[in-house]
Amino acid sequence: VGFKKIWGKKINGVDYRKVLLNFQEGTSKVVADYSRSNGFVMEEPSKYLITGKVADGSGTVTASSDEVYSGRTAEVTITPADGYKIVSVTDNGSDVTSHVSGGKYTISNVTENHTVTAWFSRNEYTVTVSVEHGSGSTSKQAYYGDTLVFSVSPDEGFEFESASGGSYSNGTLTVTNVTGNINITVKF
């Protein structure tokens, strides 16, 4: 199982019927002796395709090799794009997410074609604004790369003093290019 037959012959009188040849990653072996026809038959391991596919989101799914010999191991690298995370991974339709470690998924003892599919989603963060001597303290959810706008206003008799992040103008705090959880203090 997992082998195909190839034809070989004696070359310059050397009997290759007893020679064990290595084919790249696989091993062939002599399975029949056809000495009367001055040749022999060898078995070469079958190759199987390893395909990577992105079903949703942004990232890559790359096999260490597009073809793998029968019985060998294949490694697939699953890499989310900046601001994305792996949601789930399947191998031929079966969920293997729990087998992905450090962005790598290993297929041992390959005996068929494999399609490894990944789903990615944008990272979600919390931006929290605290206002001193005013109003507008709140938290909002944002995805990687988003811009958020907050309305903040001073208590009577106070003016804008500082903001620990974002950009303040006329009662509006703008936070651009969110790439993580952020805590901002606005002081009036």
Side-chain angles (χ1 to χ4, degrees), residues 132-135 153-159 188:
E132 292 181 9
H133 306 291
S135 61
S153 57
D155 288 340
E156 190 172 325
F158 287 87
E159 292 182 1
F188 290 107

Side-chain angles (χ1 to χ4, degrees), residues 52-70:
K53 183 173 133 181
V54 174
D56 192 29
S58 185
T60 60
V61 181
T62 309
S64 57
S65 178
D66 293 338
E67 288 185 332
V68 176
Y69 283 98
S70 180

Side-chain angles (χ1 to χ4, degrees), residues 88-175:
S88 65
V89 178
T90 62
D91 181 358
N92 289 346
S94 296
D95 187 350
V96 294
T97 309
S98 64
H99 300 285
V100 176
S101 177
K104 306 280 187 194
Y105 168 62
T106 302
I107 307 167
S108 300
N109 190 27
V110 174
T111 59
E112 63 182 348
N113 294 329
H114 286 261
T115 298
V116 178
T117 306
W119 285 259
F120 301 100
S121 70
R122 288 172 62 190
N123 291 332
E124 190 173 4
Y125 303 106
T126 301
V127 178
T128 302
V129 174
S130 301
V131 179
E132 292 181 9
H133 306 291
S135 61
S137 294
T138 189
S139 292
K140 291 184 180 179
Q141 297 301 115
Y143 289 106
Y144 181 90
D146 280 355
T147 295
L148 293 178
V149 176
F150 297 86
S151 293
V152 293
S153 57
D155 288 340
E156 190 172 325
F158 287 87
E159 292 182 1
F160 177 74
E161 182 182 314
S162 66
S164 63
S167 171
Y168 175 81
S169 177
N170 298 322
T172 301
L173 178 71
T174 304
V175 180

Side-chain angles (χ1 to χ4, degrees), residues 30-43:
V30 176
V31 295
D33 181 353
Y34 292 98
S35 55
R36 291 184 183 188
S37 61
N38 198 30
F40 59 96
V41 174
M42 298 182 74
E43 289 182 342

Side-chain angles (χ1 to χ4, degrees), residues 165-188:
S167 171
Y168 175 81
S169 177
N170 298 322
T172 301
L173 178 71
T174 304
V175 180
T176 59
N177 194 30
V178 175
T179 58
N181 294 322
I182 303 171
N183 292 307
I184 298 173
T185 301
V186 177
K187 291 182 182 180
F188 290 107

